[in-house]
Every structure is written in structure tokens, then in C-alpha cells.
Amino acid sequence: MQCPKCHAMMHTYNRNGVQIEQCSGCRGIFLDYGELEALTRLESQYTAQQYGQVPPPAAPPAPYPAHAAPAPAWGAPQHGGHGHGHGHHHGHHKGGFGRMLFSS
Amino acid sequence: MNALALPAPLPAALAAWARGGPGQPYVLLADRPDGTVVRCGDAVAKAHAPGSDPEALAARIRVAGSGALAGVLLPPLRTGAVHGRPVSLWPYGTPVDPARPEDAPWEEAARLLAALHRTGPRDLPGPVPPMRGPAKVARALRRLARAPQPDPDGVRAVRAAAATLPDWARGEGVPPAGGAVLCHGDLHLGQLVRHPAPDGPWRLIDVDDLGLGAPAWDLARPAAWYAAGILAPEAWLRFLDAYRAAGGPAAGPPGSDPWPELDLAARALTVQTAALALAKAAPARRPLDEGERLMLDSCVRMATFRAELEP
């Protein structure tokens, strides 16, 4: 589909089972009917798990927590939002990537 | 038999030049077509690429030695020529331990890049050549084109990903006017040392690709590693946030999505890295390693999105 704002193509991503469309041009996000509610529900579940049902008093606003760091459309799928910052590939601790980080 | 003694091999000749006499002990740090580097005690000598433009190289080394870049770039000790190659001598600095990339000084790297990018053009010692980032993309693609029997699917993906780039990002034609600042041109974790060794402040080294250009290029390798899933989001954000906090101009304001600014250069570095990986793997008849495979996967996804990616 096309972005209603800038008319670039929109790509579909799955975030915790919720389909969202993000524009490849202006990065705007389109939510279908009910998807915002689904995201809100997931958020409150996550908060409950994290804080044992008690909502955190005035959690400090982070510009983007690690699990929500923006990534490009062509980025690896783990940026889709499932890993909460612990994507299985991310491994600058593993031997396989070391050489790449140090070479031209 | 007299007079026609064979010339010393380049590393030994470099060490002799560095120490002012033959027969000096040295440690060979790198010996590649684009540069030979030896360490002699507390100094490091480099023979630059045979095809280096001598004037451009001299201008780059002059920048490294200028007061405006003190505290950012390691300054040279002296320059010369050995075996017809331009050579330069530098103080030894302690590098990031390649076995411990998790110790990488991401914040320091970011602050050094921000300082480099904020250097005023009038503070530079004379004309500065263009940053060689796009030329290196072109060189990687040429090397892939010459490689013996590279993986055909990989080559297709790299070519399709390269086609999403504007000509200038592949070293063809002139970059868009405006916004050019002093850039390193080849940032990776091997380009940072602590001087004085072993625990002095961090400095950037290796000015062979330094010049005026798009500062996003210097953030593009970490950005490409992060996008491919190689660099953890935490490390990426430490780097990005420190760069922005230091006033770096390449990635938008703090808190904003940096990708509109970084996307093109990150794609270019992804293409460059994947092209070199395929070109190096082909003659060795080896499969890509995990990191190389992830960079190629990024190229495959770029090819999928090519209609939407800004050319």
C-alpha cells in the first residue's frame, strides 16, 4: 500500500503478533482497526510482567529503549520487535564477527 | 659479486627507514596490497598503497598533524619514501584487542568522529581532498567483478543492492554539493588506538581515506552492522547517542530516527562489505563466515525493497 502522507510504499511488519505498516519514505506508521488496542494490551501485559501488576511511578522516558531502536526497512528481521534487545544473532561477543569489526 | 645485492624486502626496508639503519627488529602488523605496516618499538611505519596520489596523501597527513585535529587524530612523526612508495612514521598506540570487541570504546569513537566532523574548513591546513568512501565501494565492486567464480547468487544480490545506490555513492560522478565535512572515510575498530600506550586517550588513526564528504559515511559501518544483526542494539545506541550528544552533524537530533540520514551510506557500506566478502571467499573456495553471510542477507533484503529505496 501507499503512504497517505508522502505516497511512498509502506511495508508490513509484525510486532508481537500485531501487523503494522511503516512507510519507507517518511517512516510514518499505519495501524489497522483494533491494532492500537492490541498494542496497548501487549504493553500492559509487558508492564505487569516487569513490575508485578504495579504500574511504575513515572518511569523515566527513554528516547528509545534498546528493544525499540529504529532500524531500516532492509534490516535483519530481529529488529521487528520480538527480542526485547536480545536478538539471537547479536553477538559481538561471539568469535564469528570479530574479524569484520576490525577490517576495511 | 658486488654492488647488486637484492634490495631488502619492504617490511625490513620500512623498519630500516623508521630506525635510521638496516637490521632493525620489527613486528609486521599488516602486509596487504593497499599498505604494509611494521612496528619498531614505540613507532609504527606504514608504506602506503602503490597507487596513492602523493599530493592527496600528503594533504591528508598534513591534516593529521595540524593543531586543529590535536586530540582527535594521531599526529605523524615524519614522512618519506621507501622502494618508491610513500611512507609515514607514527607513534605506537595500543589498539582495541581484536579478541575482545566487547571492550570497544563506542562512546569515545563517537566523540572523536563528532569532533572530526565539527572541524571548521578554515581550520584545515590548505585544500583537503575528497573522502574516499565512495571510491572504496567502487573498488570493492571491481574486485568482485574480477574474482574467480564467486557465488553467483551472492553476486546477483550485491549487484541488485548496489543498484539501489546513487552513482556518486558507487564512486561514479560527483556527490551532491553541500554538507561536506572532514570525514575519516574508513572507520572500524582497528582505527582506534590509545596514545600514549597502553592507557592514554583514544585517537583515530589511518588517514589514507580521510577527506571532505558526507559524515554519515563514518557512522555507516556500525549502522550497517547493527542493521544486519551483527552489532547489538545496546552498542549501537551507545555509539549513536554519544555522537549526537557530542554535536555530531550526521545523524539528526537526539531522540529522532537516525535512519533517514544514515540509510544511504549504511547501504553503501553493506554493499562494499558483502562484495569484498564474496571476492575474498571465491579464490579460497570457502563459504562466507557468519558475519559475512549476515551482510549479504542485508543485500538480499535491499534487493527485495529496491523499488522503495531512494536511488
Side-chain angles (χ1 to χ4, degrees):
Chain A
M1 79 185 248
Q2 271 193 332
C3 173
K5 196 166 129 194
C6 76
H7 306 292
M9 284 299 295
M10 301 196 79
H11 300 302
T12 304
Y13 297 93
N14 188 308
R15 288 193 174 256
N16 298 47
V18 181
Q19 299 284 334
I20 65 168
E21 271 80 34
Q22 182 168 36
C23 174
S24 59
C26 68
R27 310 267 156 182
I29 287 175
F30 188 94
L31 297 173
D32 285 333
Y33 175 76
E35 287 177 343
L36 182 61
E37 289 73 13
L39 282 173
T40 310
R41 199 162 54 241
L42 282 166
E43 185 192 31
S44 48
Q45 281 170 10
Y46 177 75
T47 308
Q49 285 164 13
Q50 292 293 102
Y51 300 98
Q53 309 293 348
V54 184
Y64 28 70
H67 63 267
W74 48 268
Q78 64 267 30
H79 293 306
H82 290 285
H84 289 287
H86 300 287
H88 23 277
H89 277 316
H90 295 129
H92 58 246
H93 303 133
K94 284 190 274 177
F97 304 142
R99 207 158 43 85
M100 173 168 293
L101 302 183
F102 286 88
S103 57
S104 291
Chain B
M1 296 293 280
N2 56 7
L4 283 177
L6 284 172
L10 182 59
L14 255 182
W17 172 77
R19 285 301 184 86
Q24 301 290 338
Y26 65 87
V27 178
L28 185 60
L29 298 181
D31 196 12
R32 291 188 301 264
D34 62 343
T36 297
V37 183
V38 299
R39 177 183 175 187
C40 304
D42 56 3
V44 172
K46 176 170 189 175
H48 299 268
S52 309
D53 172 346
E55 281 180 34
L57 180 63
R60 293 179 167 116
I61 293 175
R62 232 176 4 252
V63 170
S66 80
L69 277 309
V72 179
L73 298 172
L74 192 70
L77 297 171
R78 58 187 164 93
T79 59
V82 171
H83 289 193
R85 301 256 297 260
V87 298
S88 54
L89 191 68
W90 307 81
Y92 174 77
T94 306
V96 184
D97 181 351
R100 298 185 56 84
E102 64 272 26
D103 292 346
W106 290 113
E107 287 88 351
E108 276 304 308
R111 282 193 278 270
L112 292 169
L113 288 177
L116 192 70
H117 296 166
R118 286 163 57 100
T119 307
R122 275 174 302 181
D123 295 331
L124 297 174
V128 178
M131 183 264 291
R132 292 191 67 250
K136 295 184 74 135
V137 178
R139 196 178 63 176
L141 290 169
R142 281 197 304 271
R143 184 163 168 188
L144 179 58
R146 286 197 313 265
Q149 297 182 305
D151 166 40
D153 290 337
V155 172
R156 253 193 302 280
V158 167
R159 290 212 179 121
T164 72
L165 298 170
D167 290 348
W168 70 264
R170 282 180 272 117
E172 298 161 16
V174 184
V181 300
L182 186 63
C183 301
H184 181 276
D186 189 27
L187 181 89
H188 53 75
L189 293 183
Q191 308 288 38
L192 293 153
V193 299
R194 303 185 84 139
H195 176 74
D199 51 10
W202 290 97
R203 297 288 182 258
L204 290 168
I205 59 165
D206 187 1
V207 295
D208 293 50
D209 302 309
L210 175 135
L212 298 178
W217 225 272
D218 284 342
L219 279 66
R221 245 201 208 103
W225 294 331
Y226 161 67
I230 290 170
L231 185 64
E234 293 79 6
W236 164 243
L237 290 177
R238 280 169 53 204
F239 176 73
L240 177 66
D241 291 346
Y243 178 82
R244 288 166 151 180
S256 69
D257 179 356
W259 285 93
E261 306 287 333
L262 300 182
D263 190 80
L264 196 157
R267 273 188 275 142
L269 261 302
T270 303
V271 165
Q272 176 181 325
T273 307
L276 282 180
L278 289 169
K280 288 177 184 171
R285 296 176 170 276
R286 64 165 174 86
L288 299 186
D289 69 26
E290 192 183 3
E292 292 170 335
R293 167 59 55 188
L294 291 172
M295 294 300 265
L296 184 60
D297 288 349
S298 280
C299 289
V300 171
R301 288 187 298 269
M302 277 180 225
T304 310
F305 288 136
R306 65 191 297 179
E308 290 80 38
L309 295 171
E310 154 194 2

